[in-house]
Amino acid sequence: MTDPRDLRVSDAEREHVVSLLNKAVGRGMITLDEFTTRTDTALAAVTRADLNAVLADLPGMVNSEGAHARTELKNSFGTTVRKGHWVVPRELVIRNTLGSTNLDFTEADVPPLVDVELDVSVGSVKLVLPPTASVNIDAVEIQAGEIKDKVRNGVGNPHFHVRGYVRGGSVVIKRKR
């Protein structure tokens, strides 16, 4: 598995770190010259390691972009829907019993790697991925249910790693038409 420090960063993450550097100037932690140098480095960052290097010596200044590292969506006898602009955590747990979960990632803020854990019992899950996304479903265990992977590729960004259990339910992974 890829070291998280080697993952590529987005413009939103770079801008978030620049805002943290701005706060550091306001608190007297760095000078304006240091701010300029660190901002240039942050805006040129390619990986998380590059980006976090400008914050390493600043106590309380952490790149919390995607700070919601783990989110659990629970659904029993109902429907859970996420679409439009929403922030996707690095770890997403879907617990679905006799209900449906529909997640559209096409307009969402998605980290480079998303780990999706399924715990589905007689329910359905639909994941609509961005055009460049990839998915791996090798770690999904199915009992009296089905999974339809209409994306079928293992290389792309962002990458979704789907694992867990489907008991008497269905999972559909596709791209928006």
Side-chain angles (χ1 to χ4, degrees), residues 60-72:
M61 296 287 154
V62 179
N63 178 10
S64 60
E65 185 68 19
H68 307 290
R70 181 179 170 97
T71 298
E72 189 168 316

Side-chain angles (χ1 to χ4, degrees), residues 5-83:
R5 293 174 294 182
D6 294 333
L7 294 174
R8 297 181 72 87
V9 293
S10 67
D11 287 339
E13 289 174 290
R14 290 181 194 96
E15 291 169 14
H16 176 70
V17 168
V18 170
S19 73
L20 291 175
L21 291 171
N22 196 27
K23 288 179 185 174
V25 169
R27 294 179 185 165
M29 299 169 84
I30 59 176
T31 66
L32 285 175
D33 287 339
E34 288 175 304
F35 171 78
T36 301
T37 303
R38 290 176 190 230
T39 297
D40 290 345
T41 302
L43 293 175
V46 175
T47 66
R48 290 235 168 103
D50 298 337
L51 198 54
N52 288 332
V54 301
L55 301 174
D57 64 339
L58 301 174
M61 296 287 154
V62 179
N63 178 10
S64 60
E65 185 68 19
H68 307 290
R70 181 179 170 97
T71 298
E72 189 168 316
L73 301 174
K74 292 181 182 178
N75 180 359
S76 297
F77 302 101
T79 302
T80 300
V81 176
R82 296 283 189 281
K83 63 182 179 179

Side-chain angles (χ1 to χ4, degrees), residues 65-137:
E65 185 68 19
H68 307 290
R70 181 179 170 97
T71 298
E72 189 168 316
L73 301 174
K74 292 181 182 178
N75 180 359
S76 297
F77 302 101
T79 302
T80 300
V81 176
R82 296 283 189 281
K83 63 182 179 179
H85 185 266
W86 59 291
V87 177
V88 179
R90 287 185 303 270
E91 293 180 38
L92 187 58
V93 180
I94 300 170
R95 297 198 194 287
N96 187 345
T97 304
L98 293 164
S100 64
T101 302
N102 300 317
L103 305 178
D104 185 339
F105 297 95
T106 56
E107 295 178 35
D109 272 343
V110 184
L113 177 63
V114 180
D115 186 31
V116 180
E117 180 183 336
L118 300 175
D119 182 6
V120 180
S121 298
V122 195
S124 66
V125 173
K126 180 168 68 172
L127 307 177
V128 181
L129 305 187
T132 59
S134 61
V135 65
N136 180 316
I137 61 167

